[in-house]
């Protein structure tokens, strides 16, 4: 390990906590070695760009993505100028190789490598966020299909139970709910908390990093946010199954707004208050 | 200079990856009416498409064959979700006679694990490659259909 690297590691904590600008400026200085932070930033940038291009869409960014990007920028800006070694160059190379592949799922490998780089550079929260985003990039291709089967079953049965409890007899059958009036309510992945939980967890984590950068991760807050979100979504499902008017509204063009507001409210409520967690 | 080189390498990797992705998409090419073109390629007449949501992500397509057999098809990407609907379309007495067919792979038992494995294989390229399609029909119709090499669902 070079002297510069040792010096960087020794001063990393002070640079990150006491004088963020110093670390950022030092990394931009002409004589500074190629830092891990720079490599991590380039890898994250490339993976993010590959994600957007491979997705084939330029849709407005998900609020979770926007929050994660803001938190990542903050963390990258605070990273100490630690010189990159051969392991970091290998990770950087792997990340670029992943971006070369014409598959959207390869984005996950690029993001994971960027996350490992950020962690090795002393920015663990940025590493967690990038690796979490890598998991999100694999959602549709890998794990959502497996997770949806038991989750949809639980949500369908719970919704039917709540409907029956509220005086509207209903019977769960797979991911369908048979209603007393002969109607059917089909539970799809887009209706499930599956589509909301992951963005909510990342959003709360990123928001907490933005609002209280020196605080601990707050896993309990994230779990609490997920619980609240599950309750909100369950109420939405029951309302849609119970009332055709509610179904039409919540499935209509304006239907996403209440859920987005609830999502934002849950994330804010979980991230804002001060506490020990 | 080293920093600029790293940045340039990152940009170049993305550009090459995007070009590769574009060429993959160009080879398969999304079609304007995949339900009709797929039906025509397989000797089926498209009858109707049922949208399960407003976003058109979840759809079931109904077809009729020349011999009068009615078939319902769903691209495998959403098989786990629409399966319950497909099953529900048959009456209780007919349900035992229904069979599941993954068109591009041949007949298979109605196994969630099997569907998921094929679904995974189909979606590695995220909708830019042709997908297997799931067919549900009465067994007497499936006997003829299962022997025919049906084509996969067009790229989305």
């Amino acid at each position: 390990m070079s002297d510069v690297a040792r010096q960087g590691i020794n001063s990393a904590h002070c640079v990150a906590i006491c004088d963020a600008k110093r670390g950022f400026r030092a990394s931009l200085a002409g004589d500074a070695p190629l830092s891990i932070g720079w490599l991590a930033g380039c890898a994250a940038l490339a993976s993010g760009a590959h994600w957007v291009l491979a997705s084939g869409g330029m849709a407005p960014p998900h609020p979770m993505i926007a929050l994660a990007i803001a938190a990542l920028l903050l963390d990258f800006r605070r990273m100490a100028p630690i010189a990159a070694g051969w392991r970091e160059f290998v990770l950087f190379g792997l990340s670029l190789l992943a971006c070369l592949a014409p598959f959207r799922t390869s984005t996950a490998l690029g993001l994971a490598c960027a996350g490992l780089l950020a962690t090795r550079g002393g920015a663990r929260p940025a590493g967690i966020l990038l690796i979490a985003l890598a998991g999100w990039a694999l959602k549709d291709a890998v794990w959502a299909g497996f997770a949806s089967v038991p989750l949809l079953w639980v949500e369908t049965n719970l919704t039917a139970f709540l409907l029956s409890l509220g005086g509207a007899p209903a019977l769960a059958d797979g991911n369908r709910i048979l209603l007393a009036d002969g109607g059917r309510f089909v539970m799809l992945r887009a209706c499930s908390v599956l589509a909301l939980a992951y963005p909510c967890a990342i959003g709360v984590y990123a928001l907490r990093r933005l609002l209280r950068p020196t605080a601990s991760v707050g896993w309990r807050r994230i779990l609490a946010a997920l619980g609240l979100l599950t309750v909100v979504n369950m109420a939405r499902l029951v309302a849609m199954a119970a009332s055709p008017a509610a179904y039409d509204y919540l499935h209509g063009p304006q239907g996403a707004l209440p859920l987005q507001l609830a999502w934002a409210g849950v994330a804010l409520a979980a991230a804002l208050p001060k506490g020990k967690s | 200079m080293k920093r600029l080189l790293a940045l340039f390498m990152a940009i170049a990797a993305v550009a090459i990856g995007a070009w590769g992705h574009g060429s993959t998409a160009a080879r398969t090419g999304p079609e304007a009416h995949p339900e009709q073109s797929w039906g025509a390629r397989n000797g089926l007449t498209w009858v109707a498409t049922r949208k399960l949501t407003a976003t058109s992500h979840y759809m079931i397509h109904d077809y009729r064959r020349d011999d009068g057999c009615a078939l319902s098809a769903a691209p495998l990407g959403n098989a786990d979700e629409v399966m319950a609907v497909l099953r529900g379309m048959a009456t209780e007495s007919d349900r035992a006679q229904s069979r599941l067919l993954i068109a591009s792979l041949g007949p298979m038992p109605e196994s969630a694990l099997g569907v998921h494995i094929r679904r995974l294989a189909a979606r590695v390229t995220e909708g830019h490659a042709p997908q297997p399609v799931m067919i549900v029909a009465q067994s007497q119709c499936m006997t003829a259909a299962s022997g025919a090499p049906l084509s996969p669902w067009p790229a989305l």
Side-chain angles (χ1 to χ4, degrees):
Chain A
M1 186 182 290
S2 68
D3 290 336
V4 176
R6 263 192 215 98
Q7 189 182 354
I9 290 171
N10 290 337
S11 62
H13 185 72
C14 177
V15 168
I17 303 300
C18 305
D19 187 0
K21 288 182 180 175
R22 182 179 152 206
F24 184 64
R25 285 174 183 160
S27 70
L28 291 179
D31 56 349
L34 192 54
S35 67
I36 298 177
W38 187 270
L39 287 184
C42 286
L45 194 66
S47 301
H50 182 259
W51 190 353
V52 172
L53 290 171
S55 303
M58 304 297 284
H62 194 288
M64 173 271 288
I65 300 286
L67 282 173
I69 289 171
L72 282 171
L73 285 174
L74 181 75
D75 282 328
F76 276 127
R77 191 174 181 274
R78 288 166 179 267
M79 281 183 74
I82 302 172
W86 67 269
R87 289 183 182 86
E88 286 75 34
F89 282 111
V90 167
L91 281 173
F92 182 62
L94 275 176
S95 176
L96 296 194
L97 276 177
C99 294
L100 284 170
F103 305 121
R104 184 175 163 188
T105 41
S106 66
T107 298
L109 177 61
L111 286 169
C113 289
L116 288 175
L117 276 170
T119 305
R120 293 179 69 84
R124 187 164 167 265
I128 291 173
L129 267 179
L130 285 165
I131 291 170
L133 287 173
W136 180 247
L138 290 174
K139 172 180 168 278
D140 287 332
V142 179
W143 56 266
F146 293 97
S148 66
V149 173
L151 203 55
L152 288 177
W153 185 88
V154 169
E155 287 183 307
T156 305
N157 281 276
L158 196 54
T159 305
F161 171 74
L162 290 173
L163 282 169
S164 300
L165 205 63
L171 188 66
D173 173 30
N175 62 339
R176 287 186 313 155
I177 295 175
L178 308 175
L179 302 168
D181 61 1
R184 290 180 310 173
F185 182 75
V186 182
M187 193 84 76
L188 300 173
R189 281 212 307 269
C191 320
S192 168
V193 76
L194 178 77
L196 306 168
Y198 206 101
C200 181
I202 291 183
V204 170
Y205 182 76
L207 197 57
R208 190 163 168 80
R209 288 293 305 158
L210 288 170
L211 296 174
R212 301 182 64 199
T214 56
S216 60
V217 172
W219 298 113
R220 277 183 291 176
R221 289 173 182 278
I222 293 173
L223 285 175
L226 291 179
L228 273 172
L229 192 75
T230 304
V231 171
V232 167
N233 193 55
M234 190 53 64
R236 167 175 161 265
L237 292 173
V238 170
M240 284 202 298
S243 159
Y247 181 91
D248 289 342
Y249 174 72
L250 291 171
H251 253 211
Q254 298 86 17
L257 186 61
L259 194 65
Q260 290 291 337
L261 288 176
W263 183 93
V266 165
L268 267 175
L272 265 181
K274 292 182 178 181
K276 289 181 181 177
S277 60
Chain B
M1 194 65 187
K2 289 176 184 173
R3 290 192 303 272
L4 283 178
L5 185 63
L7 190 60
F8 175 76
M9 287 169 66
I11 293 169
V14 173
I16 294 170
W19 174 81
H21 196 88
S23 62
T24 304
R27 276 200 302 274
T28 54
E31 296 182 16
H33 297 287
E35 69 282 358
Q36 294 181 27
S37 58
W38 182 86
R41 271 199 294 274
N42 294 288
L44 301 171
T45 305
W46 173 75
V47 177
T49 290
R50 278 169 288 168
K51 290 166 72 172
L52 299 182
T53 63
T55 56
S56 299
H57 282 134
Y58 305 97
M59 292 188 290
I60 295 173
H61 311 282
D62 294 332
Y63 296 94
R64 187 170 301 281
R65 221 165 44 197
D66 292 341
D67 59 5
C69 276
L71 298 91
S72 297
L76 193 52
N78 299 317
D80 56 329
E81 295 163 291
V82 299
M83 193 184 296
V85 182
L86 286 168
R87 266 199 248 117
M89 284 157 47
T91 63
E92 286 296 331
S93 57
D94 290 341
R95 192 173 290 181
Q97 296 297 316
S98 293
R99 284 201 299 160
L100 179 70
L101 174 72
I102 307 298
S104 63
L105 300 173
M108 60 177 289
E110 192 171 344
S111 151
L113 182 62
V115 168
H116 278 305
I117 289 171
R118 283 155 181 79
R119 180 173 184 275
L120 175 62
R123 290 180 64 93
V124 165
T125 46
E126 296 289 325
H128 287 279
Q131 294 183 40
V133 56
M134 184 175 71
I135 302 260
V136 168
Q138 297 306 304
S139 58
Q140 63 270 22
C141 298
M142 296 294 272
T143 306
S146 61
L150 301 180
S151 62
W153 198 259
L156 301 175

